[in-house]
């Protein structure tokens, strides 16, 4: 609230209608949990068109993100402020809701997903709690506003949000009513777009320690419903431990590979089903590419094997595979994949000194024979740690 950007937004809203706007949602929740705030949501009694007008006359950049749903995004100093007029639901159909604007905070609170997400802070910093969210703050659990089954049926995304928030902020036992409603209604998840599912899964996996939430999702068949397998927690837990041990930022994609626990075939299917981006597909496929498996395992004791594997896979896939291999170890001590990752990042791949033209000059015809001969030479050159010169390699061909 003391940030100059926030002050400017507050001043603009207060001038229009004193006491008519409050912070809500994640920013209030996270401030109370003493964790960083991602984006700032504000709810207001001012109508959306008016918010747009006053923001623009105050010289702020304002985007009518969802004018008909009442949301205006004001960007100030790179920080987005989502300002939404108080609403009540008049109809819901699984994902899209028909809303009416309202003057009443209680009505606005009733349509929010969890009691912890329905806390309001006025511009004096006073907390307003129309649904009992402060109780959940102590327990660090997520309880639906109203009837859990009804709220999930209105919008199945709420099931994913439940596990995501549980992963990020939950502690101890989750709310049993919420979890069993999510289990009971898991079939409804198939109504969500796969893009939505994938983006939620990534957010969930990026939590510092999503292990417990994943376990809950497995237990209720939620993961199976979402990605077609229940996944394995063993390697995932070890990857999470690596992050914690070395203070690394969570890597949602690598964690997904660990969780999915499958080979190239399964990865391909999942990537297609979840409509992953090309870059994501590439990363996943590199991480399970079996073509240099022996060298990846050998790399821990033999830098020549590391070089061959990096050459075959590229630095990123090599690092991913080394991490996964170390995570898959059952007996301590864990092998040091970090040295290998550093080696891979710094290693400069030497240029293969021979090309097709050289072979044609020696009398080869363009075609498969030439290709095979080049491959054979390259394999020899790699096996000899890139030491043979062009002349030595060509001499080998003549033999
Ligand atoms: P974060 O931004 O940290 O991911 P958040 O709680 O702010 O968490 P947003 O998606 O930014 O989540 O939504 C802001 C608020 O809007 C939520 O706190 C909640 O009150 C409400 N909300 C968002 N999505 C839903 C939904 N699907 N159903 C009901 N209420 C929702
Ligand atoms: Mg938010």
């Amino acid at each position: 609230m003391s940030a100059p950007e926030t002050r400017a937004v507050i001043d603009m809203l207060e001038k229009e209608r004193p006491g008519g706007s409050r912070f809500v949602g994640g920013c209030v929740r996270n401030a109370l949990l003493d964790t960083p705030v991602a984006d700032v949501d504000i709810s207001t009694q001012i109508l959306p068109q008016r918010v747009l007008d006053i923001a623009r006359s105050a010289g702020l950049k304002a985007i009518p993100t969802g004018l008909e749903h009442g949301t205006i995004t004001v960007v100030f100093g790179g920080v987005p402020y989502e300002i939404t007029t108080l609403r009540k639901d008049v109809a819901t159909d699984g994902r899209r809701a028909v809303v009416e604007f309202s003057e009443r905070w209680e009505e606005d609170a009733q349509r929010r997903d969890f009691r912890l997400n329905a806390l309001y802070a006025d511009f004096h910093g006073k907390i307003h709690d129309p649904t009992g969210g402060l109780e959940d703050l102590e327990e660090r659990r997520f309880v639906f506003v109203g009837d859990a089954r009804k709220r999930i049926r209105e919008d199945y995304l709420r099931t994913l949000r439940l596990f995501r928030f549980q992963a990020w902020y939950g502690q101890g036992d989750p709310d049993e009513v919420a979890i069993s409603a999510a289990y009971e209604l898991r079939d409804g998840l198939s109504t969500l777009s796969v893009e939505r599912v994938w983006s939620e899964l990534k957010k969930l996996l990026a939590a510092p320690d999503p292990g417990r939430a994943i376990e809950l999702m497995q237990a209720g068949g939620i993961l199976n419903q979402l990605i077609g397998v229940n996944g394995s927690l063993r390697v995932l837990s070890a990857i999470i431990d690596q992050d914690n041990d070395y203070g690394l930022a969570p890597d949602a994609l690598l964690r997904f590979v660990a969780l999915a626990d499958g080979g190239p075939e399964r990865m391909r299917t999942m990537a297609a089903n979840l409509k992953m981006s090309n870059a994501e597909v590439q990363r996943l496929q590199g991480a399970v590419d079996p073509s240099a498996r022996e060298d990846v395992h050998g790399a821990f004791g033999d830098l020549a094997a590391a070089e061959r594997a990096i050459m075959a896979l590229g630095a990123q896939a090599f690092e991913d595979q080394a991490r996964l291999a170390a995570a898959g170890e059952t007996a301590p001590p864990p092998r040091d994949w970090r040295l290998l990752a550093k080696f891979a990042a710094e290693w400069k791949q030497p240029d293969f000194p021979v090309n097709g033209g050289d072979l044609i000059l020696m009398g080869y015809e363009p075609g498969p024979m030439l290709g095979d001969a080049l491959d054979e030479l390259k394999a020899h050159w790699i096996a000899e740690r890139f030491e043979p010169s062009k002349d030595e390699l060509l001499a080998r061909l003549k033999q």
Side-chain angles (χ1 to χ4, degrees):
M1 284 179 65
S2 51
E5 294 84 1
T6 312
R7 293 300 334 167
V9 174
I10 291 178
D11 289 347
M12 162 194 105
L13 294 167
E14 283 300 276
K15 208 157 84 193
E16 174 69 15
R17 183 161 176 172
S21 313
R22 293 173 180 173
F23 297 104
V24 68
C27 64
V28 182
R29 178 196 66 221
N30 287 14
L32 291 170
L33 289 172
D34 210 10
T35 52
V37 167
D39 50 27
V40 181
D41 294 291
I42 295 174
S43 52
T44 182
Q45 293 169 320
I46 306 167
L47 289 171
Q49 185 59 53
R50 188 66 196 142
V51 174
L52 197 59
D53 292 345
I54 59 175
R56 285 181 177 163
S57 8
L60 302 179
K61 187 177 165 204
I63 310 152
T65 336
L67 198 55
E68 70 284 8
H69 285 97
T71 303
I72 309 293
T73 306
V74 173
V75 186
F76 200 114
V79 186
Y81 294 82
E82 298 237 315
I83 305 175
T84 305
T85 307
L86 298 190
R87 299 173 293 187
K88 63 175 175 194
D89 285 334
V90 291
T92 42
D93 74 343
R95 192 64 265 275
R96 298 245 157 271
V98 179
V99 293
E100 233 168 52
F101 298 125
S102 164
E103 287 271 306
R104 303 188 44 217
W105 301 99
E106 294 75 19
E107 275 177 346
D108 187 75
Q110 289 309 314
R111 63 180 302 283
R112 296 184 179 274
D113 45 8
F114 304 105
R115 309 199 306 188
L116 252 182
N117 287 351
L119 292 169
Y120 299 77
D122 67 26
F123 291 161
H124 304 288
K126 183 171 175 331
I127 301 294
H128 301 261
D129 177 17
T131 64
L134 287 174
E135 279 170 51
D136 304 338
L137 193 69
E138 307 282 303
E139 306 286 335
R140 281 188 165 251
R141 63 174 181 210
F142 287 83
V143 177
F144 278 101
V145 175
D147 181 71
R149 285 178 184 76
K150 176 167 172 286
R151 302 310 310 284
I152 291 178
R153 281 203 198 93
E154 286 169 0
D155 178 2
Y156 285 95
L157 185 63
R158 290 173 187 155
T159 295
L160 296 184
R161 289 171 61 89
L162 170 66
F163 290 104
R164 163 155 68 95
F165 291 130
Q166 198 62 42
W168 274 88
Y169 312 111
Q171 256 168 28
D173 290 330
D175 179 49
E176 227 171 83
V177 176
I179 297 291
S180 56
Y183 287 177
E184 187 187 317
L185 298 173
R186 63 165 180 256
D187 289 352
L189 291 169
S190 62
T191 60
L192 294 174
S193 80
V194 293
E195 289 90 343
R196 235 345 207 271
V197 169
W198 177 226
S199 103
E200 276 292 327
L201 268 182
K202 278 186 288 188
K203 287 189 205 167
L204 189 155
L205 286 169
D209 187 354
R212 174 96 178 98
I214 291 284
E215 207 168 38
L216 287 167
M217 292 170 85
Q218 287 180 323
I222 304 272
L223 266 184
N224 196 35
Q225 173 74 34
L226 294 172
I227 60 173
V229 296
N230 242 336
S232 148
L233 207 60
R234 190 177 72 85
V235 181
L236 174 61
S237 300
I239 294 278
I240 294 169
D241 288 345
Q242 289 176 355
D243 291 335
N244 291 338
D245 290 349
Y246 304 120
L248 305 171
D251 183 333
L253 280 180
L254 184 70
R255 287 174 170 195
F256 180 80
V257 176
L259 173 66
D261 189 33
E265 198 57 46
R266 179 182 287 177
M267 284 303 159
R268 233 191 317 277
T269 312
M270 283 185 178
N273 289 346
L274 291 168
K275 298 200 181 147
M276 294 181 190
S277 73
N278 289 338
E280 290 170 343
V281 174
Q282 240 190 344
R283 173 99 192 270
L284 256 58
Q285 257 158 11
V288 296
D289 180 345
S291 65
R293 175 145 306 149
E294 251 174 66
D295 280 333
V296 170
H297 283 264
F300 287 90
D302 172 9
L303 286 185
E307 287 171 349
R308 287 194 300 271
I310 300 165
M311 186 101 168
L313 300 168
Q316 176 71 67
F318 173 76
E319 176 180 340
D320 289 347
Q321 291 201 17
R323 276 193 78 171
L324 290 163
E329 292 283 281
T330 40
R335 301 184 290 184
D336 198 349
W337 56 271
R338 281 184 318 149
L339 289 178
L340 288 178
K342 188 166 178 294
F343 179 75
E346 287 166 0
W347 188 67
K348 295 255 180 313
Q349 178 172 323
D351 288 327
F352 182 46
V354 179
N355 61 34
D358 299 324
L359 269 63
I360 288 173
L361 284 179
M362 285 177 62
Y364 273 82
E365 297 284 336
M369 287 259 288
L370 185 150
D372 289 348
L374 262 186
D375 287 348
E376 195 275 327
L377 276 191
K378 190 165 185 182
H380 172 73
W381 173 72
I382 293 173
E384 296 294 317
R385 299 202 67 183
F386 324 107
E387 273 161 12
S389 66
K390 178 171 174 173
D391 287 346
E392 282 164 343
L393 290 167
L394 294 181
R396 181 180 165 81
L397 261 196
K398 288 194 187 116
Q399 281 168 12

